[in-house]
Amino acid sequence: PPPHSPSHLPTAPRRRVYLDHNATTPLAPEAAQAVRDAMCQAWGNPSSSHPAGRKAKELIGSARESLARMVGGRPEDIVFTSGGTEANNMVIHTARRHFRESQARLGDSWGTPHIVTSSVEHDSIRLPLEQLVKESLAETTFVPVSPRSGRAEVDDVFAAIRPTTCLVSIMLANNETGVIMPVTELSQRVHALNQRRAAEGLPRILVHTDAAQMIGKGHVDVQELGVDYLTIVGHKFYGPRIGALYVRGPGTTTPLHPMLFGGGQERSFRPGGSLMEPVWVFFPQAAELVSKNWEAYEAHMRDVRDYLEARLEASFGKQRIHLNSHFTGSKRLCNTSNFSILGPGLQGRRVLSHCKMLLASVGAACHSEKGDRPSSILLSCGIPYDVAQNALRLSVGRDTTRADVDLVVQDLMQAVAQLDQDQAL
């Protein structure tokens, strides 16, 4: 064909719609600009006393203040980590060690430390606990969520508490269903219980929540939540791929034990400078955006998410859409929709592979290698096996529009039509 025939013209890149914001978010433009500035101006070692070092130290202090403001804490309560996984492991490590040290100090023998968590936690809580159980270093109760509410109910968590319980860790919002857990009520009841336990010579129960999914999508205030520890993950709110741990008075009011030993950074709670110090400058901008705009973000994302679910039901028919994240009486994240398109051969992974525009997942990104096996979290919530197998998790972002939703629903309809046709052959 002649050189300018249509087959030789460059094809326009195919439009993609990203609806996987619970897995990760793009870096906010403001944060990206801050990085470029800081790399030029604040490249010094913050432990050094010369001007370049002082400038870097100043930026880290600013990042700490911004994160503290975002969650309603004090700057001294923020400890930077490499990510949410490290923060969660640090809490478990601390609770176990605090139990042992309290036991030795009081000359009591309480036995093996016991930890209570839910059946729907992130792997960075579940797997360390399973490993401790395997090594006989701790006992753990995984409290099932209620199939009616999708929540770890406070009464069920309390029923699991033993004299040897040293930690209760319940996520603030689930990454797959979006269900928000009753953490405030849980903290209040644990606080009252701790006063009685102290009088009886029993160990203090520490309270932790992993707030990775909630920050930037809803109100997060550590004073209201009443927790001892709260995990912060930057890349879930348009920030860097690092994390932080809020600790209510680290080393004084609330114990915190390092897992690493080294250069003394982060008051020796989390030494190690080379990995993290250049990246901390991302955090202030991402955190300030959340502090100033979270209500507007929440309203926008809820509107787009609700429009998505309405369009799905209108396009496929209510009988064919099962909303896996709708639980009576439970609140959920403003941006998350977990649903199944019912029918044979419509496993979530197959539907996504036939989509031309939609970028999404069937559940937690860290489980993506598990084939067509349904999400254990959905099964824990009482979703039937064949429905859970067809699940898709769509999580909208700050920039997602109703027009994006229209494109996605059309894309899903063509994918399902193709699969239905294949099934009929």
Side-chain angles (χ1 to χ4, degrees), residues 313-382:
E313 290 188 335
S315 303
F316 287 97
K318 281 194 176 186
Q319 301 73 25
R320 207 169 183 194
I321 295 290
H322 188 278
L323 297 169
N324 302 321
S325 44
H326 278 213
F327 293 93
T328 309
S330 291
K331 291 180 178 169
R332 59 181 173 140
L333 291 174
C334 59
N335 77 320
T336 306
S337 179
N338 193 309
F339 62 91
S340 298
I341 304 170
L342 304 181
L346 296 180
Q347 291 86 352
R349 220 169 286 278
R350 294 190 71 199
V351 171
L352 287 179
S353 70
H354 282 72
C355 285
K356 295 180 167 66
M357 280 180 285
L358 172 62
L359 300 174
S361 41
V362 296
C366 36
H367 299 159
S368 56
E369 76 294 344
K370 295 191 176 174
D372 276 336
R373 206 163 73 221
S375 155
S376 60
I377 285 175
L378 292 185
L379 296 175
S380 297
C381 294

Side-chain angles (χ1 to χ4, degrees), residues 269-281:
F269 291 128
R270 203 295 179 186
S274 60
L275 166 70
M276 293 159 59
E277 280 155 3
V279 193
W280 286 343
V281 297

Side-chain angles (χ1 to χ4, degrees), residues 163-226:
T164 53
T165 302
C166 62
L167 174 69
V168 171
S169 178
I170 303 290
M171 63 182 9
L172 192 47
N174 184 263
N175 49 319
E176 292 196 26
T177 62
V179 169
I180 296 168
M181 302 292 175
V183 172
T184 301
E185 185 191 343
L186 180 66
S187 295
Q188 288 167 348
R189 286 186 51 182
V190 170
H191 181 70
L193 177 62
N194 274 335
Q195 292 176 321
R196 297 198 296 274
R197 283 169 69 98
E200 295 166 21
L202 291 174
R204 172 182 170 190
I205 299 171
L206 299 161
V207 180
H208 167 245
T209 190
D210 179 346
Q213 290 296 338
M214 188 70 166
I215 292 172
K217 302 169 194 165
H219 185 50
V220 176
D221 185 311
V222 291
Q223 308 311 329
E224 288 176 20
L225 290 168

Side-chain angles (χ1 to χ4, degrees), residues 2-41:
H4 297 296
S5 70
S7 61
H8 278 198
L9 290 174
T11 52
R14 184 186 286 164
R15 170 81 193 275
R16 297 285 193 182
V17 181
Y18 181 78
L19 293 188
D20 205 16
H21 292 84
N22 284 8
T24 196
T25 56
L27 191 61
E30 294 89 339
Q33 182 59 46
V35 174
R36 285 190 286 274
D37 295 346
M39 290 304 179
C40 298
Q41 300 165 22

Side-chain angles (χ1 to χ4, degrees), residues 401-414:
T401 63
R402 286 184 169 213
D404 291 330
V405 167
D406 290 335
L407 289 173
V408 162
V409 173
Q410 283 172 20
D411 199 20
L412 284 168
M413 287 181 74
Q414 71 76 26

